Amino acid sequence: MTGPVHVVGGGLAGCEAAWQLARAGIPTVLHEMRPVRRTEAHAGDGLAELVCSNSFRSDDWENNAVGLLHEEMRRAGSLILRAADAHQVPAGGALAVDREGFSGAVEAAFAEEPLVEIRREEIAGLPPDDWDQVIIATGPLTSPALAQALQDLTGTEQLAFFDAIAPVVYADSIDFSKAWRQSRYDKPGPAGDAAAYINCPLDRDQYGALIAAMLTGEKTIFKEWEKSTPYFEGCLPVEVMAERGRDTLRFGPMKPVGLTNPYTNQRPHAVVQLRQDNALGTLYNLVGFQTKLKYGEQERVFRMIPGLESARFARLGGLHRNTFLNSPRLLDPLLRLKARPSLRFAGQITGVEGYVESAAIGLLAGRFAAAERQGRPVALPPPTTALGALLAHITGGHLAEGASFQPMNVNYGLLPPLEGDSARGRARKQALSQRALAHLAPWLDAAVC
Ligand SMILES: Cc1cc2nc3c(=O)[nH]c(=O)nc-3n(C[C@H](O)[C@H](O)[C@H](O)COP(=O)(O)OP(=O)(O)OC[C@H]3O[C@@H](n4cnc5c(N)ncnc54)[C@H](O)[C@@H]3O)c2cc1C
């Protein structure tokens, strides 16, 4: 006889996973450590507590990737979306919620669900061996004892305690009348490509103006409890490097050595390099440009870089306290730890970013665990759906096989381009969204629990 599936963490991902399991008829135990043990960010004891903003961002499925993810989750019977819809507050095109009402609705759903038992306890180490199916959804503030045990299991390098996110731009918004492709010294990479990077050149004045803008730009401030996280030397924010001296960046990530600007046949004074960020080649990150500049300031300052004047940002930079796995390396396509497949992961700890994305991975983890428990074949969501694209990004779609894996929100750049279609702007987003929902339907039908 098999026991229940255990879900560790009653946040957005864990609650969604437990709900999907219950919908499939699987007995589930949901372990939540609050109020026995608290985190630095959660304020109360409720399940699915929103730790900061009360917004699930855009609800426009036709024109926005997170809106599309909402719609896919609704169609897949998401508890998190159901509770959010029931407790909406006015927020224009965004889905924002009354946080107490939202969390209360999630609690109430479980109170009426006999298949889910809720235990208020910390899982302070690896789960016992006789729990044959576990979903770990303990989030960015996983308790230290469990984080330590995971680090011991996966290796020190494979579990991060902070994210250091450099901005990511859409490749098709880079101006190639100024930028060019070249690797330093034309050195071929493992794939034999000697032009792996996109280079944006700066002359002396442009470099000076960029440094000045970084120094004066408005920054976000570390929370008191984040200040002690030991990451500054290894991964300095770009503006902190700029503070150390006018030329620090020019001898660091902006060094121009080994590069010739084909438009001038000269070595630039400084360079910003962009590296491919996803397997599709639709997204590029600004190498070494992790930053604490405020979002609006990032767009203003980084558009001063020649070639990026009209850049569209798929993700803006940041540095946060965040516990997450090197998922592309550690997890299989069904979110199981390759080294110990009885452990499955969900939520922000898998390297997605945001409330909705975390819940979405919880939804998939719950469905995968349910199918496995029932001996049914598990079908992956098509990569053309927002659910499938997000899953592919964390479990293998990431170009660098985990080498520089950093958390990511859902965005259209994760979806495979439309075949033979030259649609741009809104028309392209709408076509991608319509394709996603069309492809979602047969997957949902086939995966009926
Ligand atoms: C300070 C902060 C602010 C954020 N603000 C936003 C925002 O405004 N908008 C946004 O979209 N995203 C935000 N995020 C990112 C992220 O979307 C949220 O953290 C989101 O809640 C992640 O969902 P989750 O289910 O993975 O983790 P959580 O919602 O954090 O749930 C994890 C749960 O696991 C429990 N837990 C931890 N360890 C154990 C253990 N060992 N045993 C049992 N239970 C355990 C925790 O108490 C918690 O309830 C923020 C993150 C942080 C850290």
Side-chain angles (χ1 to χ4, degrees):
M1 203 186 93
T2 50
V5 173
H6 293 266
V7 179
V8 185
L12 292 154
C15 289
E16 187 64 63
W19 183 253
Q20 295 292 328
L21 280 155
R23 297 278 56 71
I26 310 289
T28 302
V29 181
L30 179 59
H31 307 260
E32 168 53 52
M33 69 177 183
R34 289 173 295 120
V36 180
R37 187 184 175 100
R38 302 200 166 273
T39 78
E40 298 94 336
H42 290 82
D45 303 342
L47 296 174
E49 178 181 326
L50 303 180
V51 279
C52 186
S53 144
N54 66 332
S55 175
F56 283 25
R57 317 199 312 275
S58 172
D59 201 26
D60 177 357
W61 71 263
E62 280 184 290
N63 296 293
N64 188 289
V66 78
L68 174 63
L69 191 56
H70 292 170
E71 187 55 28
E72 291 184 10
M73 291 172 71
R74 284 187 184 106
R75 293 185 187 198
S78 160
L79 170 63
I80 293 299
L81 262 291
R82 189 182 90 181
D85 286 338
H87 292 276
Q88 277 191 55
V89 295
L95 174 58
V97 303
D98 173 304
R99 62 181 74 237
E100 302 284 329
F102 167 75
S103 168
V106 173
E107 296 254 1
F110 285 121
E112 288 171 14
E113 177 47 77
L115 283 171
V116 179
E117 178 195 344
I118 294 173
R119 289 191 199 154
R120 298 286 186 161
E121 62 184 5
E122 179 189 2
I123 304 303
L126 289 181
D129 287 340
D130 61 345
W131 293 6
D132 66 339
Q133 265 216 60
V134 182
I135 297 176
I136 298 185
T138 44
L141 305 172
T142 294
S143 73
L146 178 56
Q148 182 63 53
L150 291 175
Q151 202 174 38
D152 294 344
L153 180 66
T154 60
T156 319
E157 299 295 308
Q158 308 301 328
L159 184 79
F161 291 98
F162 63 93
D163 53 37
I165 296 176
V168 172
V169 298
Y170 288 96
D172 65 4
S173 68
I174 300 170
D175 179 358
F176 281 97
S177 70
K178 294 177 182 164
W180 75 97
R181 291 179 186 272
Q182 185 186 10
S183 300
R184 284 208 167 92
Y185 303 106
D186 302 308
K187 201 172 157 198
D193 184 356
Y197 289 82
I198 296 173
N199 302 282
C200 296
L202 292 94
D203 64 23
R204 183 178 293 276
D205 291 346
Q206 289 163 335
Y207 177 76
L210 183 70
I211 298 294
M214 284 179 193
L215 292 177
T216 54
E218 229 188 315
K219 326 277 186 314
T220 50
I221 296 167
F222 282 106
K223 296 186 179 67
E224 203 47 50
W225 51 271
E226 286 180 312
K227 285 183 183 160
S228 57
T229 308
Y231 49 69
F232 292 107
E233 282 309 315
C235 234
L236 282 176
V238 72
E239 61 278 2
V240 174
M241 280 190 261
E243 268 168 24
R244 293 192 168 178
R246 193 180 185 281
D247 282 328
T248 305
L249 278 163
R250 228 167 65 74
F251 289 102
M254 293 181 74
K255 64 176 178 287
V257 298
L259 295 167
T260 305
N261 182 343
Y263 304 110
T264 60
N265 268 330
Q266 285 177 354
R267 190 166 107 170
H269 182 71
V271 75
V272 174
Q273 287 205 301
L274 291 94
R275 185 169 47 219
Q276 194 171 331
D277 199 76
N278 64 338
L280 296 171
T282 49
L283 302 174
Y284 275 74
N285 66 64
L286 277 66
V287 179
F289 268 58
Q290 55 275 0
T291 178
K292 289 289 281 180
L293 283 171
K294 287 197 165 167
Y295 281 176
E297 289 287 76
Q298 289 186 38
E299 297 195 18
R300 179 181 70 78
V301 173
F302 298 145
R303 284 194 182 123
M304 293 169 68
I305 297 166
L308 300 187
E309 293 89 342
S310 304
R312 285 181 289 111
F313 289 85
R315 180 179 76 185
L316 288 159
L319 274 99
H320 311 100
R321 169 82 183 278
N322 191 0
T323 312
F324 67 98
L325 295 167
N326 190 345
S327 295
R329 192 161 284 166
L330 296 179
L331 302 186
D332 74 9
L334 298 176
L335 297 163
R336 292 173 302 200
L337 193 69
K338 289 176 196 161
R340 189 165 159 181
S342 61
L343 299 183
R344 181 173 258 118
F345 286 82
Q348 183 114 351
I349 198 169
T350 64
V352 292
E353 170 73 31
Y355 298 148
V356 185
E357 290 85 343
S358 297
I361 298 300
L363 184 147
L364 291 176
R367 285 180 160 243
F368 294 164
E372 213 169 88
R373 195 44 128 214
Q374 291 168 331
R376 289 185 285 120
V378 188
L380 297 177
T384 45
T385 61
L387 282 166
L390 202 55
L391 179 70
H393 179 71
I394 56 172
T395 59
H398 192 266
L399 179 78
E401 289 179 351
S404 63
F405 182 63
Q406 289 291 332
M408 182 73 135
N409 285 122
V410 68
N411 63 75
Y412 283 112
L414 299 181
L415 299 171
L418 297 157
E419 264 174 45
D421 196 297
S422 57
R424 288 273 168 273
R426 280 172 82 86
R428 184 176 146 272
K429 291 178 180 174
Q430 288 171 5
L432 286 168
S433 288
Q434 273 151 11
R435 181 184 68 177
L437 293 186
H439 290 185
L440 182 75
W443 177 72
L444 285 177
D445 289 346
V448 173
C449 298

